[in-house]
Amino acid sequence: MSDSKLAGQFFDAAIGLLTRVRDEEADSIAAAGAAVADTVESGGRLFAFGAGHSSLAAQDVVYRAGGLALMNLLTVPGVVGVDVMPATLGSALERVDGLASAVLDSSPATAGDLLVIVSLSGRNALPVEMAQNARALGLKVIGLTSVAYAEGTRSRHASGGFLRDHCDIVLDSKIAIGDAELTSPGVDAPFAPASTVVTSAIMQAMLAAAVERLVARGVEPPMLRSGNVDGGHEWNGRVMTEYRDRIFYRH
């Protein structure tokens, strides 16, 4: 069987986006890493939030091998994934005013903590209000979004603003409006989204930068090991015990 031309084109597109992000967002990623390191060193807590498929990048940095043990998932019932039925409900909930405020008020997040909000379009009420309210509570907010949407679409939030307008640090994923990298004769819609690949890479790069900054300051980063290697469970147990007041995915 010959190689797939379209499969190769998708890899090329994804690699191109990753290269752009590496080169064009280096300063922003370093700044985000420094903010994470500051929060870890000062005793604050780390949270990540995303809705729909944007939640995949947030989930990818929570309780995983090679990850920072202090990263917690801030969840909004019904919008974390496609397991909600019907799946379209999750998209509808992203447009509900006031939901973000209710979630934050009932969460452990407080002043001095840090929240990473992942939203490809950044145009819906939920991520915009999440950023607004988190900053009002005294959290540092990092927004991971596609700036192209803010420049080429209309906000669905009453303020007319986008996620990028309410963040301390903005990380631009460079994803084009529509999140589909390929077209082909015989297919009426563009296809092959790359946002998950790119946003997950940005999240891991940000945490790598945070680890680098902590080590430079003489602070040992609280990392998790794989539970599938010898000694992994014991290592993770010690880390979770030491930092139990800043880890919420065990409660």
Side-chain angles (χ1 to χ4, degrees):
M1 180 179 294
S2 61
D3 293 339
S4 169
K5 178 181 177 182
L6 288 175
Q9 287 179 357
F10 176 76
F11 279 114
D12 290 342
I15 291 168
L17 284 163
L18 290 170
T19 300
R20 279 192 65 197
V21 167
R22 180 197 64 193
D23 296 342
E24 298 173 18
E25 295 298 300
D27 290 344
S28 296
I29 291 172
V36 171
D38 290 343
T39 306
V40 171
E41 188 175 18
S42 66
R45 287 84 62 83
L46 304 173
F47 297 90
F49 166 78
H53 284 91
S54 290
S55 73
L56 296 175
Q59 294 178 59
D60 191 46
V61 295
V62 177
Y63 182 54
R64 67 157 301 143
L68 196 59
L70 304 187
M71 187 64 76
N72 301 278
L73 188 66
L74 185 65
T75 58
V76 177
V79 305
V80 176
V82 295
D83 56 333
V84 62
M85 294 297 290
T88 51
L89 176 62
S91 298
L93 288 173
E94 289 187 62
R95 305 180 191 183
V96 174
D97 295 332
L99 184 56
S101 177
V103 169
L104 280 170
D105 288 345
S106 61
S107 79
T110 189
D113 294 344
L114 180 144
L115 172 61
V116 185
I117 301 175
V118 186
S119 175
L120 178 61
S121 73
R123 66 188 300 223
N124 290 310
L126 185 55
V128 174
E129 288 186 0
M130 189 72 75
Q132 285 180 319
N133 293 341
R135 292 179 84 187
L137 288 172
L139 278 74
K140 176 82 73 173
V141 175
I142 297 170
L144 173 46
T145 188
S146 170
V147 171
Y149 278 85
E151 296 174 345
T153 67
R154 296 180 62 182
S155 171
R156 290 179 175 143
H157 187 249
S159 69
F162 286 76
L163 171 60
R164 73 165 187 176
D165 301 318
H166 303 285
C167 299
D168 298 289
I169 300 168
V170 176
L171 305 175
D172 183 7
S173 65
K174 314 294 182 182
I175 300 295
I177 295 172
D179 191 20
E181 296 301 318
L182 303 182
T183 58
S184 180
V187 184
D188 290 338
F191 55 96
S195 61
T196 304
V197 173
V198 176
T199 53
S200 290
I202 292 173
M203 293 288 276
Q204 295 297 346
M206 175 188 70
L207 294 184
V211 167
E212 182 179 30
R213 185 64 64 97
L214 287 167
V215 171
R217 297 175 183 176
V219 178
E220 182 179 359
M223 310 304 297
L224 294 174
R225 291 180 179 268
S226 171
N228 295 314
V229 299
D230 292 343
H233 284 299
E234 292 76 14
W235 171 281
N236 293 340
R238 289 193 297 270
V239 171
M240 290 181 184
T241 298
E242 181 176 354
Y243 293 94
R244 59 185 175 273
D245 59 329
R246 298 158 74 181
I247 294 174
F248 302 100
Y249 48 79
R250 296 193 69 194
H251 301 327

